[in-house]
Amino acid sequence: MTRPIPWPRRYSAWSLLRARRAGPGYWRPLWTGRTLRKAYDVVVVGAGGHGLATAFHLARDHDVGRIAVLERQRVGYGNVGRNTTIVRSNYLLPENHYFYEDSLRRWECLSRDLNYNVMYSPRGVVDLALSEDSLPALARRGNAMRLAGIDAELLDQDALARFVPGLEPRRPRRFPLVGALLQRRGGTVRHDAVAWGYARAASALGVDIIENCAVTGVRESGRAATGVETTRGFVQAGRVVFATAGHTGLIGRMLGVALPIETHLLQAMVSEPIKPLVHSVVVYVSPGHGETYICQSDRGGLVMGGHLDGFPSYTREGQWHRLEDVVQGAVELFPQIGGVKILRQWAGTNDMTMDGSPIIDRLRYDNVFVNAGWCYGGFKAIPASGAACAQLVATGTAPDLIRAYRLSRFATGHTLDEPGQGPFPVRL
Amino acid sequence: MTRLQCPFCGPRELREFQFHKTLPTGPGGSAYERTYERVADAERSLEHWQHVGGCRAWLHVERNPSTGAVLAVVLLGGMRP
């Protein structure tokens, strides 16, 4: 069942003409702040990408009654507005690449589904190989993807030179660039538009989005939760979904459950605007400086990120030397940007699971769910996570796509260790 | 948090140190619990670090992950420098 969305103002070329005729006051706020009711059928905690997408799919695809999204701060203030906007599905493990491919297919038509331009830009994601020995590893990943029907191409040095013109891979370098794995359908999506688009669509479907309302506890009766305690009083709830990226460990503590999650910081930064230089997303793991991924925003700023800061933190204050590492990697890759200034730098809190893969499952109670542990890759997962999590919440059964993301996999030994580094979020 | 106080070398820049792992706050627990589960405490985190860019001593660090304040740094095993 997919309900048509009753848009208060549907965006189209006609709406521009209609707005011009109607004069000022035609446009409405993207979502309306509704008053908090005493009871809901489903309460989603966290108005970020995953929470809003879950609420949207619950309202559009399922018949679950009244839905609220409770947000401690403001819509899109957390990681959905702090990431480097990259979407891709170039994973090795089948459980992961099928899931992220489902997400990428949803990204491709999200602007139409939400009637909101999220600016999906399939500009290609390029994973660079720095030696003949690292090419087979990329080839293996690419072959695994192609067997699953996902696009992947192995580029040799000439093909890489053609695809990323500014890179000049034949130039003598300390670490030579011998080739790359390319996923053409990967690229970027405007992250704020994703939060706003989902919030607008959910609001149009009757979801109450309540900002500045922190959840402080869960009230229980037997094996079920009866509602949530908030800073604005008790809210009765038939089902509760926690989509609180960056703070899920603390949610577990609130419920008396220790989770296989540790919270680390990840930084991102953007340079001053420059003329078009990087037309794709380039991922570079330098033996000297660690990871750097770099793309260019539509305004011209180079958006860069790297690896985790390296120790647990909730401060959202990035370490200077990690920023330096990322910038050094970027300059090593594109020496011509050496004089470009960094405009802004920020950090987000990442819920790192002990195998690097997410958790979408029940948590302690039969009617409490958790959508968490997205590590540093949550943004690209938003559309698939919202749809799958909504199905789990509405029907009580996890769809095949997320069956591997159950919480019990750590105890039963079925971990999905994509990076192959064991139960340590940072191992440099 | 920009520095750690190494018991041998004194206050040094954080980039000289390598975080290794967080520790369970109490004794006991199954192998699974001690390997995979983490006690999410917003005010107190017990960790193993190593001064890899200095004396290479293994350190037991107690920190507040919400403020970044370092509460204690001692040598692993309770030895004195």
Side-chain angles (χ1 to χ4, degrees):
Chain A
M1 182 202 83
T2 301
R3 275 173 64 198
I5 303 173
W7 300 110
R9 294 287 181 265
R10 193 174 185 286
Y11 295 157
S12 67
W14 291 114
S15 72
L16 292 176
L17 294 172
R18 214 172 291 132
R20 184 164 169 80
R21 199 170 323 134
Y26 176 81
W27 299 115
R28 299 283 169 80
L30 292 189
W31 63 91
T32 44
R34 294 204 179 83
T35 45
L36 182 63
R37 292 166 186 254
K38 284 192 165 28
Y40 288 94
D41 295 291
V42 181
V43 164
V44 179
V45 183
H50 292 271
L52 291 168
T54 302
F56 165 73
H57 281 284
L58 278 170
R60 194 192 66 168
D61 306 339
H62 303 279
D63 198 9
V64 292
R66 283 223 139 258
I67 305 167
V69 181
L70 308 185
E71 167 56 45
R72 182 169 66 112
Q73 289 165 314
R74 295 176 296 284
V75 167
Y77 183 73
N79 291 347
V80 71
R82 289 168 186 265
N83 54 74
T84 45
T85 76
I86 298 165
V87 298
R88 57 184 174 85
S89 62
N90 55 358
Y91 283 74
L92 174 69
L93 300 180
E95 293 86 349
N96 283 334
H97 61 223
Y98 281 117
F99 175 81
Y100 285 101
E101 177 60 13
D102 180 80
S103 208
L104 194 55
R105 287 186 187 157
R106 289 173 189 272
W107 282 120
E108 285 170 338
C109 44
L110 194 67
S111 293
R112 196 188 60 207
D113 287 354
L114 296 182
N115 181 232
Y116 198 86
N117 187 3
V118 298
M119 296 164 83
Y120 165 58
S121 161
R123 56 182 68 184
V125 173
V126 181
D127 275 300
L128 296 174
L130 272 63
S131 69
E132 293 295 340
D133 303 320
S134 58
L135 265 180
L138 290 182
R140 179 186 176 216
R141 179 144 61 102
N143 287 339
M145 291 162 63
R146 290 174 74 117
L147 284 170
I150 304 167
D151 74 301
E153 286 167 55
L154 202 62
L155 304 182
D156 60 15
Q157 215 172 27
D158 292 329
L160 177 61
R162 279 194 301 275
F163 194 75
V164 191
L167 201 56
E168 299 171 39
R170 289 204 178 280
R171 191 163 41 78
R173 295 167 176 271
R174 185 175 172 207
F175 302 113
L177 305 176
V178 299
L181 182 67
L182 165 66
Q183 184 180 26
R184 286 185 193 271
R185 289 159 57 243
T188 61
V189 175
R190 187 177 175 215
H191 53 193
D192 292 323
V194 174
W196 300 336
Y198 272 117
R200 169 172 172 265
S203 180
L205 286 161
V207 173
D208 287 357
I209 298 171
I210 314 288
E211 294 171 283
N212 301 311
C213 177
V215 169
T216 54
V218 171
R219 206 182 277 182
E220 62 170 21
S221 164
R223 281 170 54 86
T226 55
V228 289
E229 306 283 356
T230 76
T231 46
R232 290 164 65 173
F234 177 70
V235 179
Q236 199 186 320
R239 275 164 274 192
V240 182
V241 187
F242 285 101
T244 52
H247 292 82
T248 311
L250 300 177
I251 297 292
R253 190 178 166 88
M254 193 172 87
L255 296 179
V257 185
L259 291 168
I261 287 177
E262 211 169 271
T263 300
H264 288 249
L265 294 184
L266 184 65
Q267 294 189 70
M269 61 212 78
V270 63
S271 77
E272 59 187 335
I274 58 172
K275 286 186 177 178
L277 170 71
V278 188
H279 304 275
S280 50
V281 178
V282 181
V283 183
Y284 176 58
V285 183
S286 152
H289 312 300
E291 190 175 9
T292 298
Y293 33 89
I294 181 166
C295 61
Q296 195 165 11
S297 75
D298 294 327
R299 210 172 52 171
L302 295 169
V303 183
M304 292 175 278
H307 199 54
L308 298 171
D309 261 19
F311 54 89
S313 178
Y314 295 105
T315 59
R316 283 179 175 166
E317 291 166 5
Q319 286 299 317
W320 168 253
H321 68 266
R322 295 296 300 132
L323 182 150
E324 217 176 1
D325 285 343
V326 172
V327 170
Q328 282 170 348
V331 174
E332 202 168 88
L333 208 51
F334 296 101
Q336 57 269 54
I337 65 169
V340 175
K341 295 181 183 68
I342 295 291
L343 273 194
R344 290 190 305 281
Q345 163 276 349
W346 62 95
T349 47
N350 293 235
D351 281 345
M352 301 301 301
T353 57
M354 294 304 138
D355 62 355
S357 297
I359 297 166
I360 307 178
D361 204 347
R362 286 188 168 79
L363 187 62
R364 184 165 169 187
Y365 304 101
D366 286 341
N367 61 342
V368 174
F369 302 85
V370 64
N371 177 342
W374 291 99
C375 301
Y376 29 67
F379 177 68
K380 69 176 103 66
I382 287 172
S385 143
C389 185
Q391 194 177 332
L392 169 64
V393 173
T395 65
T397 313
D400 288 344
L401 208 55
I402 58 165
R403 203 156 284 171
Y405 294 160
R406 63 193 181 275
L407 180 56
S408 63
R409 70 175 185 270
F410 298 95
T412 60
H414 296 87
T415 52
L416 298 170
D417 192 356
E418 177 90 23
Q421 63 185 14
F424 304 95
V426 275
R427 182 139 274 197
L428 297 171
Chain B
M1 178 182 173
T2 54
R3 285 177 177 190
L4 271 185
Q5 175 88 24
C6 174
F8 289 114
C9 315
R12 292 300 190 105
E13 262 190 66
L14 205 60
R15 73 182 316 161
E16 292 186 7
F17 298 86
Q18 164 108 55
F19 163 83
H20 183 61
K21 62 176 290 196
T22 48
L23 306 171
T25 41
S30 66
Y32 159 72
E33 285 164 2
R34 295 186 77 83
T35 308
Y36 287 106
E37 288 185 348
R38 295 292 186 272
V39 184
D41 189 331
E43 264 77 55
R44 186 163 171 263
S45 177
L46 301 178
E47 298 157 358
H48 281 175
W49 288 65
Q50 191 189 7
H51 193 187
V52 288
C55 62
R56 301 196 66 82
W58 280 84
L59 307 171
H60 184 102
V61 178
E62 189 178 339
R63 291 186 315 115
N64 181 335
S66 295
T67 63
V70 181
L71 306 174
V73 183
V74 293
L75 280 178
L76 207 61
M79 290 181 295
R80 286 160 184 275

